[in-house]
Amino acid sequence: MNVELQEKLEDVVDLVSKVLVNPDIELDYEIPSVAMTGESTEMVKGDPYIILKYTLGESHVQKQKIPIKSNYLKKTPEDLANLITFYIEQFIMEIESVEYGAQ
């Protein structure tokens, strides 16, 4: 992965982290050749991705892998951060509708 792309993805990580302030959400960024925030110490191969962990209550954790496909990487860091934030918000709404909508 080239340096320019690494820097763009690092900017995206910063932007998403600033926008997404929710104690029930944990994001692990798995970006090839970039320091990872996840528990895995193995190098990531292929496309970068984000693991979204959403905790409901004290013990119920839902996870989703959000891939960052090559066509997304052509976007500006701001546009890519907005897209990722949108995916995260959609995931949260889906989980909450299942958890709280069936009452």
Side-chain angles (χ1 to χ4, degrees):
M1 179 176 295
N2 66 39
V3 174
E4 183 180 316
L5 186 54
Q6 287 179 347
E7 290 174 357
K8 178 188 272 190
L9 290 172
E10 288 171 356
D11 290 345
V12 170
V13 168
D14 289 341
L15 290 166
V16 172
S17 297
K18 288 177 185 173
V19 171
L20 195 66
V21 182
N22 184 329
D24 298 329
I25 297 173
E26 180 183 332
L27 299 176
D28 292 335
Y29 299 90
E30 306 295 337
I31 301 170
S33 305
V34 176
M36 297 174 290
T37 60
E39 297 169 2
S40 172
T41 56
E42 297 177 19
M43 287 299 293
V44 176
K45 293 182 171 86
D47 290 333
Y49 59 91
I50 297 171
I51 300 290
L52 169 63
K53 297 177 189 171
Y54 182 47
T55 305
L56 291 166
E58 304 237 342
S59 60
H60 187 75
V61 178
Q62 292 284 345
K63 293 182 184 180
Q64 180 172 349
K65 182 177 177 178
I66 302 172
I68 304 172
K69 300 290 184 185
S70 58
N71 59 325
Y72 295 165
L73 296 174
K74 296 174 186 168
K75 296 181 177 293
T76 65
E78 293 78 12
D79 287 345
L80 186 52
N82 288 337
L83 181 65
I84 291 168
T85 303
F86 173 76
Y87 284 141
I88 292 168
E89 290 169 352
Q90 291 296 308
F91 178 69
I92 292 167
M93 287 188 338
E94 287 174 26
I95 298 302
E96 289 179 347
S97 71
V98 169
E99 289 292 319
Y100 304 121
Q103 295 180 357

